[in-house]
Amino acid sequence: MAEEHHRKITLSGGWIAARSSEVQFTGTELTTTEPPPISPISPWMQAFLPGTVLATLVNNKIVPDPFYGLQNEAIIDIADSGRDFYTFWFFTNFHCNLSTNQHCDLNFRGINYSADVYLNGHKTILPKGMFRRHSIDVTDILHPDGNNMLAVLVYPPDHPGTIPPKGGQGGDHEIGKDVTTQYVEGWDWMAPIRDRNTGIWDEVSISVTGPIKIIDPHLVSSFFDNYERAYLHTTTELENMSSWTAECSLSVLVTIELEDSICLVEHLQTQDLSIPGKSRVQYTFPKLFFYKPDLWWPNGMGKQSLYNVVINIDVKGFGESDSWSHLFGFRKIESHIDDATGGRLFKVNGEPIFIRGGNWILSDGLLRLSKKRYNTDIKFHADMNFNMIRCWGGGLTERPEFYHYCDYYGLLVWQEFWITGDVDGRGDPISNPNGPLDHDLFLFCARDTVKLLRNHSSLALWVGGNEQTPPDDINAALKIDLRLHPNFESVDENSKSLENSSRVLRDPSQYLDGTRIYIQGSMWDGFADGMGNFTDGPYEIQNPEDFFKDSFYGYGFNPEVGSVGMPVASTIRATMPSEGWQIPVFKKLPNGYVEEVPNPIWEYHKYIPYSKPDKVHDQIQLYGAVKDLDDFCLKAQLVNYIQYRALLEGWNSRMWSKYTGVLIWKTQNPWTGLRGQFYDHLLDQTAGFYGCRCAAEPIHVQLNLATYFIEVVNTTSEELSNVAIEASVWDLEGTCPYYKVHENLSLLPKKVAPIVEIKYPKSKNPKPVYFLLLKLYNMSDSTIISRNFYWLYLSGGDYRLLEPYRKKKIPLKVTSKVSVDESTYNIQLNVTNTSKRPDTKIPTLEYSSTSTAISCGAGKEHESGWLKRIHRCFAGKSDDGLKVCEINGDDVGVAFFIHFSVHASQTEYKEGEDTRILPVHYSDNYFSLVPEETMVVNISFEVPQGVTPRVTLDGWNYDGRQTILDIV
């Protein structure tokens, strides 16, 4: 993992738990007698750890699953039960033998909210605060025989608050008096968490060292000569726990993995030290020089090169005393307020990066956090071509495992501290205007959090809070603590250094951080209007074309803009009883708009409608009457795709001229919510996921829905030359009434180029509903750089004609190749629409020159020999050795909205039973194919032992789930 003490042992298994009021023993008795038994008459149960009290109760079926249907209402809230009800004992035993001069620490990386720790009868009180680490020297407490008993009594937050009848943002806001998660009293996207996340929610470990231990090393890279010269700065604290002066050899080793686990040693430096007994010292290594190191880049900008930095300390007469390692990326992040847009602009390694990302709360509301889940979460974000995640202030300060995968996949992270305006400064009455009660505790937790996370390449900036700034004294302290080292100050930044620049500069690794900016709040200093006014959002369904209009958003960087997020029908059936399978009632209003009235279970799960009376007509009803849940959810996926693609493409269209970035509210839900998500809590993607994936690709061809101009967005640092665009319109009869090719285009780096207007809607007798396929080609090797498929209707119309189009049976051919590595399956599917391209109906193309604004060279429209070669590339290849599935059909046209899923092979199904295997990573999904076109789709997933997977296909023209690959 990202950071590791090589002598650390994680205590993750074998824990049991019981409600404190039901345990008749003291902590001393629990840890000096026999371990408590688990039996039908015992209060003890298997503990879910790391996790919360509620996670343990759910896991043992003591309480129902709060994420299913309305079952959260059947769980008593801490406001009604009292804090004692959720005050729990956690117990385990572990083995540890120490040799002479060895020392042992017992470590808790996160407890909510405070605890009494008993080890072998010895008591230690852990102070309050969810976001702080605890380390206890237990050297003299461990039993000589190595068998040790550990009991932890965990207390809930001091101010768990009550839930008002109508709920609201953060309940009654009492939770804001503590330094803890604030979402747990409920939000407009989340039901209340009954135990307020009480528990041992993060890693527990013991670390065994010699006399000297390594504490919180700090790694910093600096660059000179246009990134050809780099230095690694390293400072660490060292504690001598013995009573004698230790003669030590301290070393730092830097390696990089080349391939096949072969490592190249870049540097090895050793220093001799003498450390007095019972003392703690700070040591800064001489900086290490690197010539042209491999750089770490965000997703879409380059590779995520990571070096392994290992610090060792040997003690004379003892040997290796401690060792620490961390993966580290050489990169420089700069940020300033952009003069052209007023938005905050980020640069990585000197290159501007157009921010397209999302907001994040946490992966699971019961804090059932795991490396495996984090890996899936962050890979999903990378798969969507996102480059930033904002960790919202009402949720978690995310864990090192989260950051490890952000380092690995290239997701920049905006990390907020635990302030949010709804709980700290707003409300009726005004909520906690002075923030948490204990400001010193807040600052202690903040400083400790910085030390925990600062070595991660992905961590881009610290922010004081969500839609609010911390209280003045906390804000002032954070500004000083997180001041930039002069080497990292941007020349464009208005703020001046808080230090006197004339004095001798300290090494940057001696700062608490020193490399990242601190912004006081999410709507200040280049975000939203920059002054803290409510200028983020909106959060509802939008007319897709509005995202492209100048009036949609007035500021350079929107930290929160959100919309719908309905999952597929299988998720509804898996997370709700049959009463929750009822679709909304579409209530016609006098003004002609429709109001959606959801069933009570959807309402409880915070469903957000697909209409906004007075502004947006119901986007699902654009496709006609809705029959049932499956029909509703399928049409919702169509809307999800259009909505989020349009959102990002609207921002793309004004890259650097109006906008510097956007973060969507939000990417996922920490429970089974029904709004603002690209994948659901069960880890199945919505079509919005693939709309984002399309729109956020580094080089992208798109249609401006307001002007109907084709635009090419080049976010890379490379100029594109000798490229071409093919634009084809396909109607519902399978003919191609519009076909244009624009050749010999040149596209400047980091620019948006409007190419030409699509004039089909203005042509004679255009079809009321049609498909548009845009392809950006590299003319030299015929590869597709970007492909984008739209379904459109004429102004004032709708998509109702697509309903009868569902009856068209478009033939498909799917060839598949499967490889299996232990339990991981990798499948390549070649999907071809085998209906015939109506070449005779493609109109004769006119020769005309195309001039474009901004950065596009002149081009001509014609069907060249080059384009004919492109079409031959997609004519299909030999199927020898591959599995082939053919879906027969006599119709000609577009195979619309094809969707794959993976299921466990079963012969019998019960109503509502979920056979999906999740998660699955798809290179594309919810896609469409014009006649004779082929799409290659790569699929990867893990399968539980004993399960046989099958791949199914469904879509607009394909009823039900058709098995296209049964893996035997």
Side-chain angles (χ1 to χ4, degrees), residues 93-304:
N93 46 43
F94 63 91
H95 190 85
C96 181
N97 275 118
L98 296 182
S99 303
T100 303
N101 290 325
Q102 280 191 324
H103 296 260
C104 180
D105 286 335
L106 173 62
N107 310 299
F108 297 89
R109 211 171 62 181
I111 285 183
N112 191 29
Y113 186 61
S114 60
D116 297 336
V117 176
Y118 293 84
L119 179 61
N120 301 332
H122 294 260
K123 179 181 180 181
T124 303
I125 297 175
L126 297 186
K128 299 172 183 179
M130 184 174 182
F131 302 108
R132 66 186 299 170
R133 295 169 293 171
H134 306 274
S135 186
I136 308 168
D137 185 350
V138 296
T139 305
D140 299 329
I141 301 174
L142 298 181
H143 278 157
D145 65 1
N147 296 313
N148 303 282
M149 290 193 284
L150 172 63
V152 185
L153 181 61
V154 180
Y155 299 95
D158 292 346
H159 301 88
T162 60
I163 313 302
K166 292 186 178 180
Q169 312 294 75
D172 65 356
H173 310 127
E174 282 291 292
I175 198 72
K177 293 179 177 178
D178 298 330
V179 183
T180 186
T181 48
Q182 299 187 355
Y183 78 94
V184 289
E185 283 197 64
W187 224 266
D188 58 8
W189 42 263
M190 183 76 178
I193 302 295
R194 300 307 187 188
D195 70 342
R196 308 294 190 263
N197 282 161
T198 301
I200 304 175
W201 67 277
D202 201 2
E203 178 185 271
V204 183
S205 66
I206 57 171
S207 51
V208 178
T209 67
I212 309 293
K213 66 179 178 181
I214 298 168
I215 302 171
D216 292 332
H218 187 196
L219 310 176
V220 173
S221 56
S222 61
F223 298 91
F224 301 91
D225 300 334
N226 197 29
Y227 297 89
E228 288 201 350
R229 208 159 40 98
Y231 293 94
L232 177 64
H233 307 262
T234 309
T235 293
T236 186
E237 289 187 80
L238 303 166
E239 184 175 1
N240 185 351
M241 296 173 289
S242 72
S243 57
W244 39 273
T245 298
E247 302 300 325
C248 307
S249 176
L250 181 66
S251 66
V252 58
L253 172 69
V254 184
T255 62
I256 190 168
E257 186 172 320
L258 300 178
E259 57 183 19
D260 299 326
S261 299
I262 297 173
C263 290
L264 174 67
V265 176
E266 292 277 354
H267 273 289
L268 173 60
Q269 185 184 93
T270 303
Q271 304 291 323
D272 293 328
L273 300 175
S274 181
I275 303 177
K278 299 296 181 183
S279 68
R280 188 161 172 164
V281 301
Q282 178 177 286
Y283 179 78
T284 300
F285 284 90
K287 60 187 179 184
L288 299 178
F289 171 69
F290 292 76
Y291 180 66
K292 291 186 177 179
D294 293 336
L295 299 181
W296 183 93
W297 292 96
N299 188 33
M301 293 184 74
K303 290 178 61 178
Q304 289 76 53

Side-chain angles (χ1 to χ4, degrees), residues 400-428:
E401 291 78 13
F402 170 94
Y403 276 92
H404 165 77
Y405 289 112
C406 288
D407 292 346
Y408 184 81
Y409 290 114
L411 274 298
L412 295 171
V413 184
W414 156 338
Q415 180 66 67
E416 285 179 6
F417 294 111
W418 320 284
I419 295 288
T420 176
D422 301 275
V423 176
D424 299 288
R426 293 200 303 269
D428 184 15

Side-chain angles (χ1 to χ4, degrees), residues 750-928:
K750 300 191 181 300
K751 293 288 185 181
V752 182
I755 307 297
V756 68
E757 184 183 359
I758 291 288
K759 295 183 179 179
Y760 174 74
K762 298 178 181 178
S763 65
K764 186 177 181 180
N765 298 321
K767 299 299 176 65
V769 175
Y770 60 95
F771 303 113
L772 171 66
L773 177 61
L774 301 177
K775 290 183 180 179
L776 177 68
Y777 292 102
N778 189 324
M779 293 180 65
S780 62
D781 60 8
S782 302
T783 55
I784 299 174
I785 302 169
S786 174
R787 176 189 182 278
N788 204 345
F789 181 90
Y790 295 84
W791 51 104
L792 301 163
Y793 57 80
L794 298 181
S795 178
D798 56 38
Y799 289 120
R800 291 174 190 270
L801 288 176
L802 282 175
E803 187 64 43
Y805 188 74
R806 295 171 84 162
K807 297 177 182 178
K808 284 212 170 193
K809 300 305 174 188
I810 311 298
L812 287 180
K813 181 178 180 180
V814 183
T815 62
S816 55
K817 181 169 66 176
V818 181
S819 65
V820 185
D821 181 9
E822 295 181 348
S823 62
T824 300
Y825 285 72
N826 293 288
I827 301 173
Q828 184 182 89
L829 302 175
N830 285 46
V831 192
T832 302
N833 178 345
T834 54
S835 66
K836 295 301 180 184
R837 180 183 289 266
D839 292 323
T840 57
K841 297 183 181 179
I842 295 179
T844 302
L845 301 177
E846 300 177 359
Y847 288 85
S848 62
S849 62
T850 303
S851 60
T852 64
I854 302 181
S855 59
C856 188
K860 290 189 176 181
E861 303 174 355
H862 60 92
E863 170 126 22
S864 63
W866 160 77
L867 193 63
K868 290 176 182 175
R869 293 199 308 273
I870 292 289
H871 290 159
R872 285 201 298 274
C873 289
F874 293 101
K877 297 181 180 180
S878 169
D879 303 326
D880 293 347
L882 301 178
K883 292 188 176 182
V884 180
C885 174
E886 295 199 46
I887 298 174
N888 296 322
D890 298 326
D891 293 310
V892 174
V894 170
F896 184 48
F897 218 53
I898 298 169
H899 171 242
F900 289 114
S901 54
V902 181
H903 297 261
S905 291
Q906 291 179 232
T907 55
E908 296 181 2
Y909 298 95
K910 300 175 184 177
E911 186 181 19
E913 184 177 6
D914 192 6
T915 62
R916 288 173 298 172
I917 293 172
L918 297 171
V920 182
H921 298 276
Y922 302 90
S923 61
D924 209 343
N925 218 342
Y926 293 104
F927 60 91
S928 303

